[in-house]
C-alpha cells in the first residue's frame, strides 16, 4: 500500500517496498524547550532553523506541533506552517488535536499533508475525518478511544479497524490512512514495547496500512535514550513501521542500516553516501 504526501514542490511516497520515510519530530514545543521559549516570545527563527537542520539531516517530512499553554494554536499553527513552507520543500505532518487549528493550518498549506491525528474517540472521528475528506489529506489514526489507551493488542487492533471503517465509510481511501499503535515509555511499563510491536505486526497483516511510531516516546526517563530509540526503531521497521516520527539528527544512520537489512537499499548506496557525508 502506498501513501503519497506532497508539498508544493516535492512528493514523498510511503510504502512497504520503499525506503523508510522519516518524519522529523523537533518542531514541537512539548518536546523542545528552546523552541517553546522562542514561540512564547514570538520568535519564529528557531522554527526555520529546526526545519532546515532536520531536512539537512535526512528528514523526508516535518511534524509541526504548536500545542502549549498560553498560546492560541488556531493562530500559531498556520503561522508556523507558513514559516516552514518558506524555508524548506519537505511536506508537513500537521500535529494537533484541535480541529479548528487543523483547519486553519490546512487553509494555508500547499500540497497534500498528513493530519496528525484522529483517534477512535467519537468526537475526534466526527470532527477530524470530515477535514481529511474535504482537504484530501492523509491521516494518522491513534489506537485509543473513549475508554482510553488499551494495554492489550486485541483492543488496539479493534480500534484500528474501527478508525479504518469510519474513514472508508466517508470515502477516504485506505491508502491515505496511517495507523499509530502507540508506543508508550518502556521505563514505566516493561510490556509497553511488546504490546506495540505485537499490535503493529497484526495491524499490518490484517489491514495492510502504512504505520507510524512516535520513536522518542519509548525511551522517556531512561539513560542513553538515543541507543534505545535506534534499536527500537529497527525492530519496529522489521515489523512494518514505514514512516516513524523521529529525532532525525540522532537516528538517521540506524534507520539507513535497518533499511539495508530489510532489502530497501540497492548496492547499499544510500548507506554508503550517508556514511561518506558523515566523515
Ligand atoms: N504519535 C504521533 N504523533 C506524536 C507522537 C506520537 N507527536 C508528538 C510525539 N508523539 C512525537 N514527538 C516527540 C518530540 C520530542 C520528544 C518526544 C516525542 C522528546 N524530546 C526530548 C525531550 O522532551 O526530552 C527533547 C529535548 C529537547 O531537545 O529539548 O523526547 O507518539 N502520531
Amino acid at each position: 500500500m502506498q501513501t503519497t504526501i506532497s508539498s508544493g514542490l516535492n512528493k514523498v511516497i510511503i510504502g512497504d517496498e520503499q525506503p523508510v520515510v522519516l518524519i522529523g519530530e523537533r518542531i514541537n514545543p512539548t518536546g523542545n524547550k528552546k523552541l517553546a521559549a522562542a514561540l512564547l516570545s514570538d520568535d519564529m527563527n528557531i522554527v526555520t532553523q529546526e526545519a532546515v537542520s532536520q531536512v539537512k539531516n535526512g528528514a523526508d517530512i516535518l511534524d509541526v506541533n504548536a500545542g502549549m499553554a498560553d498560546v492560541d494554536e488556531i493562530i500559531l499553527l498556520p503561522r508556523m506552517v507558513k514559516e516552514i513552507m518558506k524555508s524548506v520543500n519537505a511536506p508537513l505532518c500537521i500535529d494537533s488535536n484541535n480541529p479548528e487549528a487543523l483547519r486553519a493550518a490546512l487553509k494555508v498549506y500547499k500540497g497534500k499533508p498528513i493530519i496528525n491525528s484522529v483517534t477512535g474517540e467519537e468526537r475526534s472521528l466526527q470532527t477530524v475525518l470530515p477535514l481529511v475528506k474535504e482537504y484530501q489529506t492523509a491521516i494518522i489514526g491513534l489506537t485509543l478511544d473513549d475508554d482510553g489507551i488499551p494495554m492489550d493488542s486485541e483492543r488496539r487492533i479493534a480500534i484500528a479497524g474501527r478508525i479504518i471503517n469510519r474513514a472508508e465509510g466517508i470515502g477516504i481511501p485506505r491508502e491515505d490512512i496511517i495507523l499509530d499503535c502507540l508506543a508508550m515509555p518502556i521505563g514505566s511499563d516493561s510490556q509497553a514495547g511488546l504490546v506495540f510491536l505485537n499490535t503493529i505486526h497484526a495491524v499490518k497483516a490484517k489491514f495492510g496500512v502504512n504505520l507510524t511510531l512516535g520513536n522518542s516516546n519509548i525511551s522517556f526517563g531512561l539513560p542513553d535514550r538515543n541507543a534505545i530509540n535506534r534499536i527500537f526503531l529497527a525492530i519496529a521497521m522489521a515489523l512494518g513501521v514505514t514512516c516513524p516520527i523521529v529525532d532525525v539528527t540522532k537516528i538517521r544512520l540506524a534507520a539507513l542500516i535497518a533499511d539495508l537489512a530489510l532489502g530497501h537499499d540497492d548496492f547499499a548506496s544510500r548507506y554508503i553516501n550517508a556514511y561518506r557525508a558523515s566523515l
Side-chain angles (χ1 to χ4, degrees):
M1 190 137 0
Q2 292 196 341
T3 309
T4 303
I5 308 300
S6 65
S7 62
L9 294 160
N10 202 345
K11 198 174 89 172
V12 173
I13 298 172
I14 303 165
D16 293 304
E17 319 299 327
Q18 315 286 324
V20 67
V21 167
L22 300 178
I23 305 177
E25 74 177 16
R26 292 193 50 86
I27 305 177
N28 183 336
T30 308
N32 184 334
K33 293 193 189 70
K34 239 176 90 184
L35 176 73
L39 289 174
L40 282 176
S41 58
D42 216 34
D43 172 7
M44 283 285 160
N45 290 327
I46 303 204
V47 174
T48 302
Q49 279 169 32
E50 288 287 8
V52 170
S53 99
Q54 290 185 100
V55 168
K56 215 169 68 195
N57 282 283
D60 302 293
I61 295 174
L62 299 178
D63 192 70
V64 190
N65 182 307
M68 60 193 290
D70 305 319
V71 302
D72 184 352
E73 257 191 274
I74 301 172
I75 309 280
L76 184 58
L77 189 61
R79 270 191 73 196
M80 288 167 73
V81 165
K82 280 197 262 184
E83 203 63 34
I84 299 163
M85 286 191 302
K86 275 194 276 177
S87 39
V88 295
N89 293 330
L92 301 184
C93 174
I94 303 172
D95 188 351
S96 173
N97 55 19
N98 177 338
E100 293 312 313
L102 288 172
R103 180 181 288 282
L106 289 168
K107 278 189 184 153
V108 301
Y109 186 77
K110 292 190 174 49
K112 178 183 172 187
I114 302 173
I115 291 181
N116 184 13
S117 52
V118 71
T119 72
E121 296 163 296
E122 195 51 42
R123 215 184 114 75
S124 175
L125 292 165
Q126 280 178 19
T127 52
V128 179
L129 291 182
L131 281 176
V132 176
K133 172 74 179 164
E134 181 181 346
Y135 286 89
Q136 304 205 347
T137 72
I139 178 73
I140 293 176
L142 306 182
T143 57
L144 63 89
D145 66 10
D146 291 292
D147 296 324
I149 302 177
M151 269 324 293
D152 60 280
S153 348
E154 289 71 23
R155 282 187 294 166
R156 290 193 194 184
I157 298 161
I159 297 170
R162 246 181 289 133
I163 293 172
I164 292 169
N165 277 341
R166 291 285 289 268
E168 287 184 333
I170 65 163
I172 297 164
R174 188 172 295 202
E175 288 76 22
D176 286 337
I177 306 167
I178 298 166
L179 260 289
D180 182 335
C181 300
L182 298 174
M184 311 297 287
I186 43 179
S188 43
D189 177 351
S190 62
Q191 300 307 297
L194 185 63
V195 171
F196 173 82
L197 294 169
N198 285 338
T199 308
I200 57 172
H201 188 60
V203 165
K204 178 71 75 177
K206 197 160 178 186
F207 305 113
V209 291
N210 279 304
L211 298 171
T212 189
L213 150 71
N215 184 48
S216 301
N217 298 347
I218 201 81
S219 60
F220 273 124
L222 293 172
D224 203 352
R225 292 184 60 186
N226 293 326
I228 296 171
N229 294 345
R230 290 181 187 114
I231 303 268
F232 194 81
L233 178 64
I235 304 172
M237 283 171 60
L239 293 175
V241 162
T242 46
C243 53
I245 304 170
V246 297
D247 185 344
V248 74
T249 63
K250 305 279 167 49
I251 63 76
R252 170 128 204 270
L253 211 55
L256 286 169
I257 293 168
D259 257 346
L260 183 58
L262 293 169
H264 294 157
D265 190 0
D266 290 345
F267 311 105
S269 58
R270 278 161 54 93
Y271 173 73
I272 291 167
N273 285 338
Y275 177 76
R276 283 202 185 119
S278 75
L279 294 179

